[in-house]
Amino acid sequence: MNLDLTDEQRLLRGSARDLLAGRGTIAAAREAITDPTKLPDLWSVAGEMGWAGLLVSEDHDGVGLSAFDAMLVFTELGRVLASVPLLGHLTASVLADRADGALAAVLADGTRRAAFVAARPPGDVVDGWTVERETGTGRVPAPVLAADGTLTGATAWVPDAPGADVLIVAATREDGSPVVVVVEAGDASVREERTYDATRSVGHLTFDHSSARELDGLGAGDLAGAWYLAQSLLAAEALGAVETALEMAVTYAKDRMTFGRQIGSYQAVKHQLVDVLKARENAYSLIVYAGLAHQDLPEELALAASAARAGAGKALDLASRTCIAVHGGIGATWEHDAPLIFRRAQISRRLLGGTDDATDRVAERVLAGATT
Amino acid sequence: MNLDYTPEQLAYREEVRAWVDANRADAPALHGQWTDTAWIAGRRAWQGALADGGYAGVTWPQEWGGQGRSPVDQVIVDEELVRGGVPNILDYIGLGMLGPCIMAHGTSEQKQRYIGPMLHGDEIWCQMFSEPAAGSDLAALRTSAKAQDDGTFVLDGQKVWTTNAQFAEFGLCLARTNPDVVKHKGLTMFVVPMDTPGVSVVGLEQISGDAEFNEVFLDGVVLGPEHVVGEVDGGWACALTVLMNERLSIGRDVTGFRMDVDRFPPPIAADAHARRDPEVRHRLGDASVDLLAVRFNGLRALTALQQGQVPGPEAGLAKLTMVEAATRAADLVVDVLGPSALDPTSEWYHVVSYLPGFRSAGGTAEIVRNTVGDRVLGLPPEPRSDKGVPFSQTRSDGAVEAR
Ligand SMILES: Cc1cc2nc3c(=O)[nH]c(=O)nc-3n(C[C@H](O)[C@H](O)[C@H](O)COP(=O)(O)OP(=O)(O)OC[C@H]3O[C@@H](n4cnc5c(N)ncnc54)[C@H](O)[C@@H]3O)c2cc1C
């Protein structure tokens, strides 16, 4: 029993932190709101660092690290609001690695970039694999692979789809059974959507008899695994932003004086900051749980990854709003960094089912556990 | 990173499980009334059996009758007792907090005299710290201990919220020996035999109607110098040791309440409508997320303990999360089951009645937030009007005399 990071994991985390420091990613997050070309190109960095192939096995020229290792890198990305399309790529690469070594290898070195077009696994209330719509709370069935090998359907709000070379899509056959297919980006329509968080690349996808290639041997377990990996990565990324928000707010609370005292000495301020720390501790514990589940507890993965997503999402909502509040007026200005974390929180909580869907999944799992 | 047990730990778990199976017939009921002398007698005997089996004081040094085992082994014992549906030790306050203080600060005579009977439940201990006018602000306590020419001390005052005093043989009592210095510098820790003339215990009914805690009156209680633990006027250091050990026990479920994530879903799962109701699911999911975090906060703390680190004030955050999440989850369960779940015969009656007070036990939610804000986040402390002021110059309500 040991929940500490290994020396290798500390090294991985430290090198990611060093590499991302001083790249001006936070300032770029603001400039990109008006001019998206201001985002630094981190994709080549990701390739050099081996991040693109982090989850591809060594047999396919990847680094062969664990989901938890990827989560550590994501926390560092989140810490500086880095914009790099790894969420879509890493989840896609895991599927390629299991079924198509040649594809996995070109994804691993970053020469081709992939995006995973996820579908939410069936639950105890909603049956079937479902995807997001552009607006409204209802979900729609995942794209369908016809007998003639073409894919038809639409999925909205797909992370990292714009600019991807290849899409790895969670689809179903006409009978509703899940299947993983590869679609060249040129064979689909990808409409980029600029969002409230300029660092987040998302697109709306339409497949209209797009030619698609099935990844043999993959099924429901693999697709669910990729969904929960994406949930875990989003959780880890949120944690990094929480830590930045907390640090920023604590620093300010020690500095800013009112009525002859530092504002951090007022309980109304102090207790808000402690509540952010509490949420941070809880989120980290759940991220550790998710990491363990990916590694050793497959039957708990749905619960652990969903709990991590929900817990870290809650933490980010709280941290980003508290950070603004503790800064008073300055926190609500365009020039300040606090609103950038708030923008991150606003989009993150709504991606891939959103934190509410993750919370519902936690309920489903604990209810199922109580029934058996 | 792993949750694996070593082969030795797995073997230990088997051993504990076998012991529980073999001895279950002798175990008293898991829950009972804290004023029910027959049940308490059963709990004492059960603690004795646990001690004889080597399952009390698992992490205590062997020198004092403990097993010298790791914190993981303690968790294994706790888990197996829960699994077997049998109670843990009765004197979790003595073994968890007061014994370690005596081991750290007591004389060798005190250790020889008190530790063994404490371990076996032959003598139960209570923590006589809080007073009517001193809870959060413990160092403002007013029970006085006046040194006499013959070397004895005479104690006068009142303690309150003293858990288990109704059947305890001893109390560890913090009292003021010197009022003319700042408040925490004039305190001394005493061992008080509860049958000493002048000690009287009056039960206090709690929300549930049960009386787990008490008022303890001290009226001209004479104690010899052999009852002093640590230095005269050095009681605050002893108190800090107690509070530090209290943090160690925060994650342990010694009361049998089991505010774990698994505790709440069964009644909801059993209701075909509720389990599909989106609002119910959202509330259950939200509370379960936090209760899962509490579980893994505990495992993280255990990792740190194993490496010899002492738990810091942040350990209190896990208790806050636990109380908050368990409160939401318990409210949801009662919403689903309906008001009859608040009948005294229902297990939820006890859970619901226990949680509001539990928020304050061992340090209120506000005090935890103050301490963590100051010591973990490094935020500036609040100005204190009694800082640096001798206790005798503070008013009876704790405020500083106008000068
Ligand atoms: C179930 C239970 C068992 C207990 N068992 C024992 C025992 O065995 N032995 C023992 O000695 N004690 C025991 N206690 C007492 C417990 O330690 C105290 O209740 C606790 O420390 C709070 O003190 P108080 O009750 O005097 O409340 P107060 O200190 O008067 O607090 C009242 C309210 O004011 C708030 N407050 C106080 N100071 C501050 C501040 N600086 N900033 C912000 N808010 C503040 C508190 O948070 C609280 O909400 C027990 C309590 C409970 C509920």
Side-chain angles (χ1 to χ4, degrees):
Chain A
M1 220 284 319
N2 181 354
L3 300 191
D4 260 354
L5 301 186
T6 62
D7 290 343
E8 291 76 20
Q9 285 169 336
R10 283 177 208 283
L11 215 63
L12 176 73
R13 183 179 64 174
S15 66
R17 193 175 296 186
D18 292 347
L19 189 93
L20 292 164
R23 285 185 189 266
T25 46
I26 295 185
R30 173 172 27 254
E31 290 165 11
I33 299 170
T34 42
D35 181 1
T37 64
K38 289 286 165 58
L39 291 171
D41 170 31
L42 293 178
W43 181 250
S44 48
V45 177
E48 282 161 35
M49 289 297 287
W51 292 345
L54 206 66
L55 297 181
V56 173
S57 58
E58 285 169 316
D59 288 350
H60 301 143
D61 304 335
V63 191
L65 292 185
S66 71
F68 187 65
D69 296 323
M71 289 159 73
L72 292 173
V73 171
F74 264 64
T75 299
E76 297 314 313
L77 295 170
R79 187 183 308 286
V80 295
L81 305 179
S83 176
V84 57
L86 280 171
L87 175 62
H89 185 79
L90 288 193
T91 41
S93 76
V94 169
L95 294 169
D97 193 48
R98 287 184 198 156
D100 182 342
L103 177 58
V106 293
L107 299 184
D109 65 14
T111 48
R112 298 201 84 200
R113 179 153 86 65
F116 175 50
V117 185
R120 177 193 188 273
D124 60 347
V125 174
V126 177
D127 202 18
W129 295 78
T130 59
V131 298
E132 329 269 309
R133 298 188 304 170
E134 265 187 68
T135 184
T137 53
R139 301 180 62 85
V140 291
V144 177
L145 180 68
D148 66 0
T150 65
L151 189 73
T152 298
T155 307
W157 304 110
V158 180
D160 301 333
D165 304 305
V166 54
L167 305 167
I168 297 191
V169 187
T172 63
R173 295 191 186 84
E174 280 161 338
D175 66 2
S177 61
V179 56
V180 188
V181 298
V182 181
V183 176
E184 291 298 320
D187 294 330
S189 136
V190 181
R191 182 158 55 84
E192 179 162 14
E193 179 93 45
R194 281 175 67 183
T195 74
Y196 192 62
D197 174 8
T199 64
R200 187 70 85 187
S201 162
V202 289
H204 305 308
L205 271 56
T206 312
F207 305 99
D208 183 8
H209 299 283
S210 306
S211 64
R213 175 168 63 85
E214 188 174 334
L215 285 182
D216 291 329
L218 299 189
D222 304 283
L223 278 179
W227 172 264
Y228 293 120
L229 175 61
Q231 302 293 328
S232 308
L233 294 175
L234 276 171
E237 186 191 60
L239 176 73
V242 168
E243 291 177 358
T244 298
L246 179 60
E247 207 178 290
M248 202 189 293
V250 166
T251 304
Y252 191 73
K254 291 178 185 170
D255 216 42
R256 174 75 175 168
M257 306 280 291
T258 65
F259 303 96
R261 283 163 62 179
Q262 293 150 288
I263 58 168
S265 68
Y266 295 108
Q267 285 189 15
V269 172
K270 182 177 291 176
H271 290 191
Q272 286 188 67
L273 294 172
V274 170
D275 282 343
V276 174
L277 176 68
K278 173 158 72 73
R280 183 270 161 204
E281 292 297 312
N282 290 344
Y284 181 67
S285 290
L286 292 166
I287 282 166
V288 166
Y289 179 29
L292 283 165
H294 279 287
Q295 186 182 303
D296 296 327
L297 309 165
E299 68 291 352
E300 289 177 47
L301 178 59
L303 174 64
S306 305
R309 171 80 200 276
K314 260 201 296 200
L316 182 54
D317 281 339
L318 181 71
S320 62
R321 286 183 191 277
T322 303
C323 186
I324 293 176
V326 166
H327 281 85
I330 188 84
T333 58
W334 181 268
E335 287 75 22
H336 204 272
D337 290 346
L340 299 171
I341 299 174
F342 178 69
R343 284 173 181 268
R344 168 60 64 93
Q346 283 293 305
I347 296 299
S348 288
R349 61 170 282 135
R350 300 187 166 98
L351 291 176
L352 296 176
T355 45
D356 284 346
D357 183 63
T359 305
D360 187 77
R361 183 72 73 176
V362 169
E364 176 199 301
R365 294 330 301 158
V366 297
L367 288 168
T371 315
T372 51
Chain B
M1 215 175 63
N2 67 80
L3 289 178
D4 302 339
Y5 292 100
T6 63
E8 294 75 29
Q9 288 165 344
L10 290 171
Y12 186 58
R13 185 181 289 282
E14 287 306 314
E15 181 195 315
V16 185
R17 189 169 296 184
W19 185 92
V20 172
D21 286 343
N23 290 274
R24 179 177 298 134
D26 300 333
L30 191 52
H31 297 288
Q33 291 284 317
W34 290 95
T35 47
D36 175 348
T37 44
W39 182 63
I40 297 297
R43 291 285 308 263
R44 277 180 192 260
W46 179 244
Q47 179 170 330
L50 285 166
D52 290 340
Y55 304 124
V58 173
T59 58
W60 277 19
Q62 283 174 334
E63 188 187 356
W64 302 112
Q67 302 298 313
R69 285 182 167 271
S70 76
V72 175
D73 289 342
Q74 177 69 69
V75 170
I76 290 173
V77 170
D78 291 347
E79 285 175 353
E80 288 305 315
L81 295 174
V82 168
R83 186 178 172 279
V86 296
N88 210 309
I89 53 169
L90 170 64
D91 191 8
Y92 60 92
I93 295 173
L95 268 63
M97 296 153 62
L98 308 184
C101 176
I102 291 172
M103 284 189 250
H105 301 276
T107 62
S108 52
E109 290 76 22
Q110 287 169 338
K111 295 180 211 174
Q112 294 292 349
R113 166 63 189 84
Y114 298 124
I115 298 296
M118 179 192 284
L119 187 69
H120 283 81
D122 295 334
E123 293 170 350
I124 302 294
W125 286 65
C126 63
Q127 179 192 12
M128 290 162 58
F129 282 21
S130 302
E131 298 185 1
S136 302
D137 189 5
L138 179 61
L141 61 83
R142 277 188 268 157
T143 293
S144 71
K146 291 212 173 78
Q148 310 295 305
D149 292 342
D150 63 358
T152 61
F153 295 83
V154 176
L155 275 66
D156 285 284
Q158 184 196 340
K159 297 290 173 179
V160 73
W161 325 125
T162 319
T163 305
N164 295 354
Q166 70 275 29
F167 50 76
E169 275 75 22
F170 290 98
L172 197 65
C173 176
L174 195 59
R176 187 167 307 280
T177 33
N178 183 358
D180 296 322
V181 291
V182 293
K183 59 185 178 182
H184 55 276
K185 295 222 167 118
L187 302 173
T188 301
M189 193 71 85
F190 292 91
V191 172
V192 179
M194 300 300 280
D195 60 359
T196 313
V199 178
S200 50
V201 176
V202 178
L204 278 174
E205 280 187 14
Q206 282 151 266
I207 296 174
S208 67
D210 198 359
E212 187 180 2
F213 57 34
N214 306 267
E215 295 174 289
V216 180
F217 296 91
L218 301 159
D219 186 9
V221 176
V222 181
L223 297 175
E226 71 281 9
H227 288 90
V228 172
V229 179
E231 304 290 317
V232 172
D233 291 346
W236 192 243
C238 299
L240 291 180
T241 303
V242 170
L243 300 180
M244 197 271 285
N245 280 285
E246 188 164 30
R247 282 188 210 125
L248 277 170
S249 60
I250 280 171
R252 288 186 60 200
D253 176 44
V254 279
T255 57
F257 267 105
R258 214 170 63 79
M259 300 292 174
D260 188 68
V261 61
D262 296 338
R263 178 83 160 80
F264 303 92
I268 300 168
D271 183 311
H273 181 265
R275 66 178 296 158
R276 295 174 72 88
D277 178 328
E279 174 69 17
V280 169
R281 289 163 70 98
H282 190 81
R283 290 169 63 191
L284 176 66
D286 193 52
S288 299
V289 165
D290 287 350
L291 290 168
L292 281 167
V294 170
R295 191 187 272 181
F296 280 83
N297 286 338
L299 293 170
R300 281 172 58 204
L302 194 56
T303 299
L305 270 183
Q306 262 177 298
Q307 295 165 353
Q309 298 166 24
V310 287
E314 65 278 7
L317 293 179
K319 185 204 153 195
L320 292 197
T321 302
M322 193 239 268
V323 172
E324 288 164 3
T327 298
R328 300 199 312 271
D331 273 349
L332 174 63
V333 167
V334 178
D335 285 348
V336 168
L337 291 176
S340 59
L342 297 178
D343 188 275
T345 55
S346 160
E347 60 172 313
W348 300 102
Y349 170 81
H350 297 279
V351 173
V352 167
S353 303
Y354 176 73
L355 282 166
F358 189 44
R359 185 180 185 279
S360 295
T364 70
E366 288 71 34
I367 295 300
V368 169
R369 286 185 169 93
N370 287 347
T371 313
V372 172
D374 294 358
R375 304 239 212 99
V376 182
L377 293 179
L379 292 167
E382 281 186 287
R384 294 181 178 188
S385 63
D386 60 356
K387 197 168 182 183
V389 179
F391 182 74
S392 52
Q393 287 175 33
T394 58
R395 279 206 320 249
S396 60
D397 61 4
V400 178
E401 297 280 7
R403 270 171 296 172

